[in-house]
Amino acid sequence: MKLTIEQSKLAEILETAYLAISPKPTDPILGNILLIADEDGIVSATGTNLNLTIHTTTTANVEISGQVALPAKLLTDTVSNVKGEITLEVENQACIITHNSGKCRLIGGKSDEFPALPKGENPTEINLSAKKLQAALEGTLYCASSDETKLVLTGVNFKIDTNKWQAASTNGHKLALVTGTLDSEYSDPINFTVPGKSLGELNKILSQCADTSVCNILLSDKTIEFSLPNTKLISRLLEGEYPKINSLIPRSFEYEFTLERKGFESALKRVSYLAERKQKVVKILWELEATQATLYTEATDIGDAVDSVLMKPATSNSENISIGLNIDYLIEGLKHISTDEIVVRCNKPTQPVIVCPMGGLLNQLYLVMPVEIKQGFGKVNSQSTKAKVSTQSEPGTEEVTEVSTQTESGTEEVTNVAQATDDSETPQIETPSVVAKDTTKGKSTSRSPRTKKEAATA
Amino acid sequence: MKLTIEQSKLAEILETAYLAISPKPTDPILGNILLIADEDGIVSATGTNLNLTIHTTTTANVEISGQVALPAKLLTDTVSNVKGEITLEVENQACIITHNSGKCRLIGGKSDEFPALPKGENPTEINLSAKKLQAALEGTLYCASSDETKLVLTGVNFKIDTNKWQAASTNGHKLALVTGTLDSEYSDPINFTVPGKSLGELNKILSQCADTSVCNILLSDKTIEFSLPNTKLISRLLEGEYPKINSLIPRSFEYEFTLERKGFESALKRVSYLAERKQKVVKILWELEATQATLYTEATDIGDAVDSVLMKPATSNSENISIGLNIDYLIEGLKHISTDEIVVRCNKPTQPVIVCPMGGLLNQLYLVMPVEIKQGFGKVNSQSTKAKVSTQSEPGTEEVTEVSTQTESGTEEVTNVAQATDDSETPQIETPSVVAKDTTKGKSTSRSPRTKKEAATA
């Protein structure tokens, strides 16, 4: 093999193929990138970790065709740091790379030991705009589980029904769903789950694609191939039935609030410093008449905080509502929405809360389960949320929240969104076991003095 | 205490005082920042870890004077993330911070347990331009040792003699020295060593100072106080005699090479990928007639590399010279020089190499010890350094380097710059124990074929 190529073209295919390389390859040959140069001037780079294979091509001035497997990191680092036109010449497994200020010799692996590209049989073809696929991945990947013991949850589940498609992910605590329509119709429903890791790399490739690119998807029994101009990504599918998440999403909502996304995120961040370390719970009181959401942290031995943001309510219920939420989960959901405004939808303090973008490229939703509201929220707010410094800051002015009787068997505080297993047809949302009945409904916060000691032992 | 202050002013003093806070305070009170508001509208913030104290002031609208010790991280994070005018009100160790969208209550420590500011007795006063002090720290801090067992080497040593001052640091492998002149003269020589950690924080404060600021230094027996407008940093001094490093720096040089700094750094980076993992040695052949420096890595089972950069020689010796150097040390030195061009000075392959900026605010030098050049450097360079790809890339064309007889007792490959101890008056540079006599002198590389096996067992 002997070829001359512009550094930027070679660097680009190497950096793409390198995305599939495992940092700790199970077989030494998998630490290599396979370079193939053919007589027509096409040069391809392939990287694989057996679960994921990336194959990408470019053009070069090929003098002698051939192939070579070279150490992926060394090759990519070296080519990324030279400039101008470079020459590759292979002889006896060694490749000499000559560039404008020097050269280097890399010793490669045996290219005939490199795994062949996986081929699926009788694939189903699906075409989707690259930008929409990317938006779907950005709207779902962050909710995939990182727990390898629930393997199917580490992926994103795709479903197609006639001309409708959806992508969904959940780790049991949070859930994301993106839906859209296809140009073609499919007579049989399609359902498959792609590993989150593979889709993470696909997302990087999609972000480099032209806005008008189409992703051609070939779905087979065990593998899926995503083809983009010059680049193919082939991934194994995840086996096992994905939990039926659609039934977890409420169909109607009593409350709907529109908020400015960044302002809400800043307020959450401000109160998060004083939220209790482990759970980081915020109580959000949605005040309909005041058109504001007030955020309270629990009073602890480090202190507490209250903050407020404006919102536009649209409700079928005229009573204010208080919901306890995990701040980190909520901020994470907001980070994966790109629109300026968001819509929060909910029904009861024990039922899932939905966060959606206002507009955007696709229908997108984020579901997060509420958290039990404990004693001691709203202490600092001894007057009203917008009042200036209250002089009443001594211990013993905590808000009383009456704990309801236990309604479910479990005693966990953060409940799982979906506990669906393969044999459970209609998974149920576990409701929080102990939920506060909030006393603040449509009027100002009620309070009764109690000592700190009493609160702690309650 | 009750005061109103612009958020940016409070955030600034808190972020500065926070620099002195230990992430794991030995005493809980040291996890706090002490805020003091006086009747004249001055608010100060103090942080300390006992070795280092930072005290900084600003102005505010103080309604009630007083003091409070508040959790440093919580307070700094909270204030950094609010906007506009904020009010602080303290009652019973709790502080209520009110901002434009909410408020929070922080529970503090006992302010009377907070350590008093350290006071030095009969201090010597030194004044130095803040920008020059900063340049001195940036030119020396990176060579201070991180090894706490050689405590004095974890600092930067300062010396003043009449109106001349110098700052020096070394970890035994590399050495940095910066020198300048003072406006005042001192009749007695001054010598002190300041912990690198304290100076690292001082460097951050200096980078915020106006270009015209002067740093007033008060040197006492055990402490040093650096005063800048609104901010004081007080540090303990390191005890123990600092090695006499000036005698390690050669006074005259046979070779002097001027190079473009960034080009040299890029070439070093390019060959670094193929340099042997542990030591990362590069052999640099300085070719006087060709006015270029050629960089070789050792041939290993992953391959090898050669690169070259142009240089301007100015030598009293007409023979080319090859020197082995640790790539990481060399790159680190280059990173801490800010001028476009650098000057490399050396004498023999066994003697220290000096890297200096060409120009710059202060006299600055970086000293690095050479490394033994082993067999196998320059293999890829089977023709000339600027030649196109050589077809002669099979094993067995390595450059021969004859190993000299051992000249010193040790057998270490990387030698220590300074082994000076308190009782050694004139420390000597340890020369590399086994140094290659390079055969390439003033003419093209000589080669003789030898098998890889022979080279490996030689």
Side-chain angles (χ1 to χ4, degrees), chain A residues 74 81-82 89 96 98-99 101-105 107 270 273 302-304 306-308 379 388-389 393, chain B residues 74 81-82 89 96 98-99 101-105 107 270 273 302-304 306-308 379 388-389 393:
Chain A
L74 209 50
N81 279 281
V82 298
E89 184 170 17
I96 295 199
T98 310
H99 54 90
S101 70
K103 52 191 169 185
C104 63
R105 189 174 57 100
I107 297 167
R270 280 195 293 273
Y273 301 115
I302 57 166
D304 52 352
V306 58
D307 217 298
S308 63
K379 173 175 176 165
K388 282 285 163 193
V389 180
S393 64
Chain B
L74 209 52
N81 280 282
V82 298
E89 184 169 18
I96 294 198
T98 308
H99 52 91
S101 71
K103 53 190 166 184
C104 61
R105 190 175 55 101
I107 297 168
R270 280 196 293 276
Y273 301 115
I302 57 166
D304 52 353
V306 60
D307 217 297
S308 63
K379 174 173 176 167
K388 283 283 160 192
V389 179
S393 65

Side-chain angles (χ1 to χ4, degrees), chain A residues 17-315:
Chain A
Y18 186 66
L19 296 174
I21 303 288
S22 161
K24 288 180 184 171
T26 48
D27 180 336
I29 193 69
L30 302 180
N32 291 273
I33 285 176
L34 181 70
L35 281 178
I36 303 179
D38 73 15
E39 286 144 13
D40 303 329
I42 305 291
V43 177
S44 72
T46 308
T48 184
N49 63 17
L50 299 183
N51 286 319
L52 168 68
T53 302
I54 298 176
H55 173 85
T56 178
T57 58
T58 190
T59 53
N61 179 9
V62 178
E63 217 174 292
I64 305 169
S65 62
Q67 64 177 38
V68 64
L70 294 172
K73 181 158 170 49
L74 209 50
L75 177 64
T76 308
D77 281 348
T78 300
V79 171
S80 297
N81 279 281
V82 298
K83 281 178 192 162
E85 204 175 61
I86 57 180
T87 303
L88 268 68
E89 184 170 17
V90 176
E91 217 169 281
N92 298 332
Q93 270 185 242
C95 178
I96 295 199
I97 301 175
T98 310
H99 54 90
N100 63 9
S101 70
K103 52 191 169 185
C104 63
R105 189 174 57 100
L106 300 183
I107 297 167
K110 288 180 182 158
S111 62
D112 51 359
E113 287 179 1
F114 201 88
L117 285 189
K119 282 260 173 247
E121 282 179 16
N122 304 320
T124 304
E125 189 175 342
I126 306 158
N127 286 302
L128 193 60
S129 133
K131 284 292 140 191
K132 283 191 183 170
L133 180 56
Q134 199 195 350
L137 298 183
E138 290 188 348
T140 52
L141 269 173
Y142 71 101
C143 285
S145 171
S146 54
D147 179 359
E148 299 279 339
T149 61
K150 299 173 193 163
L151 207 57
V152 78
L153 293 187
T154 63
V156 174
N157 177 251
F158 291 83
K159 273 186 185 175
I160 296 173
D161 196 351
T162 64
N163 70 335
K164 288 179 182 151
W165 66 273
Q166 72 169 47
S169 59
T170 180
N171 71 350
H173 298 287
K174 51 187 180 175
L175 182 158
L177 180 72
V178 170
T179 59
T181 53
L182 293 166
D183 291 336
S184 314
E185 288 203 359
Y186 295 82
S187 50
D188 295 324
I190 299 173
N191 187 332
F192 58 92
T193 306
V194 187
K197 280 184 188 167
S198 300
L199 293 177
E201 306 307 340
L202 177 62
N203 197 19
K204 291 178 197 162
I205 296 169
L206 287 167
S207 68
Q208 306 289 323
C209 276
D211 279 2
T212 53
S213 297
V214 170
C215 183
N216 173 265
I217 301 169
L218 295 179
L219 175 70
S220 306
D221 215 25
K222 306 227 163 181
T223 62
I224 187 161
E225 182 177 314
F226 297 88
S227 288
L228 288 156
N230 303 324
T231 303
K232 262 183 207 176
L233 179 147
I234 307 157
S235 172
R236 279 199 191 161
L237 293 173
L238 287 177
E239 292 181 9
E241 198 177 336
Y242 200 83
K244 290 183 176 55
I245 54 96
N246 292 58
S247 58
L248 303 174
I249 300 155
R251 306 227 166 159
S252 64
F253 298 93
E254 290 181 29
Y255 296 93
E256 186 176 298
F257 309 111
T258 307
L259 292 96
E260 201 263 309
R261 177 174 57 90
K262 283 189 186 159
F264 190 32
E265 197 180 324
S266 299
L268 285 166
K269 210 174 157 192
R270 280 195 293 273
V271 299
S272 73
Y273 301 115
L274 277 152
E276 202 262 311
R277 295 289 188 276
K278 257 193 190 167
Q279 278 230 19
K280 281 216 175 174
V281 177
V282 62
K283 180 182 91 169
I284 305 182
L285 169 65
W286 302 91
E287 293 172 281
L288 304 183
E289 241 176 75
T291 67
Q292 73 172 19
T294 305
L295 289 60
Y296 299 91
T297 64
E298 186 184 6
T300 64
D301 56 2
I302 57 166
D304 52 352
V306 58
D307 217 298
S308 63
V309 287
L310 289 175
M311 58 88 178
K312 282 174 274 177
T315 64

Side-chain angles (χ1 to χ4, degrees), chain B residues 149-170:
Chain B
T149 60
K150 298 173 194 163
L151 205 58
V152 77
L153 292 188
T154 65
V156 173
N157 176 250
F158 291 83
K159 274 185 185 174
I160 296 174
D161 196 352
T162 63
N163 70 334
K164 288 179 183 152
W165 65 274
Q166 72 169 46
S169 61
T170 180

Side-chain angles (χ1 to χ4, degrees), chain B residues 147 150 152-153 170-175 241-248 367 369 408-431:
Chain B
D147 179 357
K150 298 173 194 163
V152 77
L153 292 188
T170 180
N171 71 351
H173 298 286
K174 52 188 179 171
L175 182 158
E241 198 178 337
Y242 201 82
K244 291 187 176 50
I245 52 94
N246 292 57
S247 57
L248 303 171
L367 180 151
M369 281 306 290
E408 298 281 330
S409 58
T411 53
E412 314 161 77
E413 285 179 1
V414 181
T415 56
N416 287 352
V417 170
Q419 293 284 353
T421 55
D422 290 356
D423 53 2
S424 127
E425 278 299 294
T426 51
Q428 294 296 311
I429 307 162
E430 281 195 20
T431 51

